[in-house]
């Protein structure tokens, strides 16, 4: 079972930036999808961005396109989410997740992932 540990969350003002990190233990499968998801109080968990192993192809939710960038460092087994121009509506608990590759684009549906981290809180004030 892969272990995922998120970090980098915090409190920022609107327009600010944060970079989230997700450190992963070794994943035994060669092809997989990794992603960032978020859940605001009283709302369902939603997909933010995903990336495939190997090719590194990415996909984004419309709400974050042009502001967020997902990337990974395979040598460090670490996933990143660079978040720029943050808005109050980005406030949520952010989670990373991983599962077997099912085809591009990697799904933004949280139900497609079985391995999750514990989350890191992002709070954006106006």
């Amino acid at each position: 079972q892969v272990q995922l540990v998120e970090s980098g969350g915090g409190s920022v003002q609107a327009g600010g930036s944060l970079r989230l990190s997700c450190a992963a233990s070794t994943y035994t499968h060669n092809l997989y999808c990794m992603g960032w998801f978020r859940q605001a109080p009283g709302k369902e968990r939603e997909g933010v961005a995903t990336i495939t192993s190997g090719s590194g192809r990415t996909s984004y939710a419309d709400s974050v396109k042009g502001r967020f960038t997902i990337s990974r460092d395979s040598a460090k087994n670490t996933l990143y989410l660079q978040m720029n121009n943050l808005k109050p509506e980005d406030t949520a608990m952010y989670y990373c997740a991983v599962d077997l590759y099912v085809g591009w684009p990697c799904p933004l549906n949280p139900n497609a992932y079985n391995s999750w981290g514990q989350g890191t809180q992002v709070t954006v004030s106006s």
Side-chain angles (χ1 to χ4, degrees):
Q1 181 77 7
V2 63
Q3 303 296 318
L4 302 170
V5 180
E6 301 95 335
S7 61
S11 297
V12 296
Q13 291 189 328
S17 299
L18 284 173
R19 188 175 83 154
L20 306 183
S21 299
C22 173
S25 62
T26 301
Y27 195 60
T28 58
H29 301 282
N30 291 327
L31 291 177
Y32 53 88
C33 289
M34 290 192 77
W36 287 98
F37 302 82
R38 66 187 182 186
Q39 188 167 17
K43 294 187 177 181
E44 292 188 352
R45 192 170 297 189
E46 63 176 359
V48 174
T50 64
I51 189 168
T52 63
S53 64
S55 68
R57 296 179 78 179
T58 59
S59 63
Y60 295 90
D62 288 342
S63 59
V64 305
K65 283 181 181 177
R67 301 188 297 122
F68 290 11
T69 303
I70 188 172
S71 62
R72 82 218 189 285
D73 185 329
S74 299
K76 296 181 179 180
N77 286 334
T78 301
L79 180 72
Y80 301 101
L81 184 69
Q82 177 67 44
M83 304 185 295
N84 298 326
N85 191 22
L86 283 159
K87 303 176 180 180
E89 51 264 42
D90 295 318
T91 294
M93 185 71 80
Y94 282 71
Y95 301 89
C96 66
V98 63
D99 216 303
L100 293 174
Y101 179 76
V102 294
W104 189 86
C106 287
L108 286 167
N109 185 344
N111 293 327
Y113 296 81
N114 289 302
S115 296
W116 292 85
Q118 83 291 347
T120 185
Q121 177 69 38
V122 172
T123 303
V124 184
S125 58
S126 58

